[in-house]
Amino acid sequence: MKRIIIAIDGPAASGKSTAAKLLARKLGYVYLDTGAMYRACALAAKRARIDITDPLALAALMSRIKIRISFAEEGNIIELNGEDVSSAIREPDISLLASAISAQRLVREKMVELQREMGRHGGVVLDGRDIGTVVFPDAGLKFFLVAPPEVRARRRYLELLQKGLKPLYAEVLQEMIARDEADSSRELAPLVPAEDAIHIDTKDYGIEELTELLHRHFLKRAEGQ
Ligand code: CDP
C-alpha cells in the first residue's frame, strides 16, 4: 500500500503529538514533531540572548544553528548543534518564545524546508499548526484536533507536574490561550484548519480510542484509493 503523508494540526495540547506518535507506530510510519523544531529555535535564541524581532540578529542565529531530528521509540530526539535538547525545549518559557519565533518568515522558511525534506518520501505523520495548509497541502490524510481550552490546559498542567515542575493551572491556561491566539492571528501560516481536514474534538476520547479513530479514518481513506 502507498505510504502517504498524514498531517495532524491543531492548537496547543490538543492531543496531536501523542496521537501522531501512536498512529505512526501502528502504521510503521515515522513521526515528526514540527513544534519541537520551533522550540529548538526558541531555545537557541534564548541562549544567545538575541532580540528575535531584529532581522540581522535572527539571520545570524539561524545561519549558525543546526537542528537535527532522529527517531526513537519514545518520540523524536532533537539536537541543537549536536546537543540533545529534547527535555530543555519542553520548559514552559520556551512555549511562548517558540510561538513568537515561529511567526518570523526566516525561521518558518528554514523549518518548512527541513520538514518537506524529511517527509518527501511519505510514510510519515507530522504534527503542527500548518502541516495540512502549508507544509504538505497535498497530504493524503489531514486531521484537525481540537478540545476546550480548560481540557487542554489540564493536560499540559498534569504533564508539567509529572516532570517535577510546580505549575499553576491558571497560568498554564492563560499562557495557552495567549499562544493559541497569537498562532491563529499571525500573518504567516496561521493556525487554521485545512479545508479538507477531518475535525475531531479530543475531549471525548482516551488516547487509545483517539488513535483507533484516526486509524479507522486511515483505513477508510486507503479503501477509497
Ligand atoms: O506541544 P504544544 O502544542 O504546546 O506546542 P508545539 O506543537 O510544541 O509548538 C510550539 C509552538 O511552535 C506553537 O505554539 C506554534 O507557534 C509553533 N509551531 C508552528 O508555528 N508551526 C508548527 N508546524 C508547529 C509549531
Side-chain angles (χ1 to χ4, degrees):
M1 198 153 76
K2 190 169 157 236
R3 290 163 67 79
I4 62 167
I5 291 171
I6 302 177
I8 306 187
D9 291 305
S14 53
K16 302 182 301 288
S17 59
T18 316
K21 205 185 310 175
L22 293 179
L23 181 64
R25 191 179 294 168
K26 211 172 166 84
L27 298 174
Y29 278 24
V30 157
Y31 160 58
L32 187 59
D33 176 355
T34 66
M37 297 163 93
Y38 293 100
R39 286 173 176 272
C41 294
L43 182 66
K46 183 186 167 196
R47 287 179 172 176
R49 296 205 174 87
I50 66 151
D51 170 3
I52 59 166
T53 61
D54 173 350
L56 286 180
L58 189 63
L61 178 80
M62 292 310 288
S63 68
R64 64 170 189 268
I65 63 171
K66 191 155 177 46
I67 292 171
R68 200 175 156 262
I69 302 215
S70 48
F71 311 104
E73 184 60 18
E74 62 278 10
N76 289 175
I77 297 172
I78 317 291
E79 282 171 54
L80 175 62
N81 295 335
E83 176 194 344
D84 183 348
V85 293
S86 311
S87 303
I89 59 169
R90 301 291 161 198
E91 298 287 324
D93 63 330
I94 297 296
S95 301
L96 273 177
L97 198 55
S99 177
I101 206 167
S102 75
Q104 301 291 326
R105 182 179 300 278
L106 189 70
V107 174
R108 294 211 79 81
E109 280 173 358
K110 195 165 167 166
M111 294 306 113
V112 168
E113 191 187 319
L114 203 60
Q115 290 155 19
R116 288 189 178 142
E117 173 62 30
M118 296 182 82
R120 76 197 152 103
H121 296 302
V124 60
V125 184
L126 299 99
D127 88 71
R129 305 292 188 285
D130 61 338
I131 309 304
T133 50
V134 174
V135 185
F136 287 112
D138 297 330
L141 187 58
K142 299 178 187 177
F143 295 104
F144 196 79
L145 304 189
V146 296
E150 291 72 20
V151 173
R152 295 186 286 114
R154 174 112 198 116
R155 286 183 189 148
R156 185 52 46 92
Y157 169 79
L158 292 174
E159 271 170 31
L160 295 172
L161 261 191
Q162 247 176 10
K163 281 192 192 138
L165 298 169
K166 294 190 174 62
L168 290 172
Y169 171 78
E171 264 179 33
V172 175
L173 175 65
Q174 199 186 20
E175 182 271 331
M176 233 183 48
I177 291 173
R179 188 150 59 97
D180 288 345
E181 170 61 27
D183 289 346
S184 305
S185 60
R186 71 187 173 202
E187 205 177 308
L188 280 177
L191 166 67
V192 285
E195 261 179 30
D196 48 350
I198 299 163
H199 291 239
I200 297 171
D201 188 332
T202 66
K203 79 172 184 309
D204 306 322
Y205 298 96
I207 190 59
E208 294 299 329
E209 277 176 314
L210 177 62
T211 311
E212 271 309 313
L213 178 64
L214 300 190
H215 189 238
R216 280 203 299 278
H217 280 289
F218 169 85
L219 293 176
K220 213 156 85 188
R221 184 61 50 96
E223 269 170 25
Q225 267 175 4

